[in-house]
Amino acid sequence: MSEENLLPGIRVKKGDIQERILVCGDPFRAEALAKRLESSCCLQKAREYWTYQGKWQGIPLTICSHGVGASGAMLAFISLIKGGAKAILRLGTAGTLCEKVRPGDLVIATAAAKEDGVSNIYAPSSFPAVADFSVTAALCERSKKSPCHVHLGPIVTQGAFYGGVMPTNTELQAKAGAIALEMETAALFTAGSIYNVKTGAILAIDGNALAVLDSAESHDPDPELLKKAVSDCADIAFDALIAI
């Protein structure tokens, strides 16, 4: 197949991308999520971008991993959009920034602070990164059936996992009302605004983000708790995606 027929990064043909997309960071999580679909198949494995196709309750979906960090993730998001995506929902993990959100809980992100170092290249720093209302509403409606505690609110998308010599303003954003911290959602919301595509995000909380700001090595999620939270996220995400 000639290179011009493949979407950059993800290396999938445009005609193979469905209108509804579920994205996640971990390629192996994408593979596991794809096993929940009917008639699932792998379209491509290119770098961190593993792409699958299948159906949920008879509705065609694409699943694609985007790796860690907003820069590489933005490549995947825009490639998926150029391939025909009309709605992209991120299923990810995050750390809590407030006492009411506990490990094992779920967060539906309404907006994301653009601290990722990428979103402000695509849109002015004053332009907000916000989720599509219809996607958020679908997630909230489907979450009513979830056994998990589900929270709704703004989050922070940060560009670095390890700390450097420069301080972050994460604690200030937490005081302002941000409830979770992760690394890719602001890029997704920004891409959605620029290309007029519906976007949303539901996140499994894997630990306390404020507790590990100075020591990323101390981030050690409970694997069973995280596995259940991700599974609960998926139950909500798949149903919400086909309802959009």
Side-chain angles (χ1 to χ4, degrees):
M1 184 184 303
S2 62
E3 291 293 322
E4 61 265 24
N5 292 325
L6 298 176
L7 292 161
I10 63 175
R11 297 182 61 79
V12 176
K13 292 189 301 182
K14 287 186 177 182
D16 288 340
I17 300 297
Q18 301 298 326
E19 292 188 357
R20 294 175 172 86
I21 315 285
L22 186 70
V23 294
C24 62
D26 185 354
F28 293 102
R29 183 171 294 149
E31 183 177 55
L33 290 168
K35 291 178 180 178
R36 300 180 60 160
L37 300 180
E38 310 152 20
S39 306
S40 66
C41 65
C42 179
L43 297 179
Q44 183 62 276
K45 291 183 178 180
R47 297 192 180 190
E48 66 264 47
Y49 312 115
W50 293 11
T51 308
Y52 298 85
Q53 184 171 274
K55 295 181 179 180
W56 182 260
Q57 297 183 19
I59 305 297
L61 302 177
T62 294
I63 296 176
C64 183
S65 60
H66 54 66
V68 177
S71 182
M74 185 66 98
L75 189 160
F77 301 151
I78 295 177
S79 290
L80 290 166
I81 291 168
K82 290 184 176 294
K86 301 300 181 185
I88 304 177
L89 175 57
R90 168 163 151 72
L91 189 165
T93 58
T96 177
L97 290 176
C98 63
E99 291 184 0
K100 69 177 181 179
V101 180
R102 309 288 295 175
D105 289 357
L106 309 184
V107 164
I108 297 171
T110 55
K114 300 186 296 181
E115 299 290 336
D116 53 286
V118 175
S119 298
N120 289 338
I121 296 174
Y122 286 85
S125 59
S126 60
F127 188 83
V130 294
D132 178 83
F133 178 79
S134 64
V135 179
T136 303
L139 287 168
C140 289
E141 181 62 29
R142 271 66 193 173
S143 71
K144 293 177 182 178
K145 301 176 182 179
S146 174
C148 290
H149 292 103
V150 183
H151 309 270
L152 182 73
I155 66 168
V156 178
T157 298
Q158 187 167 282
F161 181 77
Y162 289 102
V165 297
M166 300 296 293
T168 70
N169 61 359
T170 304
E171 290 178 318
L172 290 176
Q173 289 168 327
K175 289 181 180 180
I179 62 174
L181 175 73
E182 51 81 81
M183 300 182 72
E184 297 89 18
T185 296
L188 175 61
F189 291 173
T190 300
S193 292
I194 292 172
Y195 290 97
N196 194 29
V197 167
K198 297 178 179 179
T199 59
I202 183 166
L203 309 166
I205 299 300
D206 62 10
N208 188 330
L210 290 176
V212 300
L213 283 179
D214 296 324
S215 179
E217 289 84 352
S218 64
H219 181 65
D220 186 25
D222 180 324
E224 291 305 315
L225 184 67
L226 181 58
K227 181 179 179 181
K228 182 182 183 304
V230 169
S231 178
D232 290 330
C233 266
D235 292 337
I236 296 169
F238 281 130
D239 285 345
L241 198 53
I242 65 171
I244 299 168

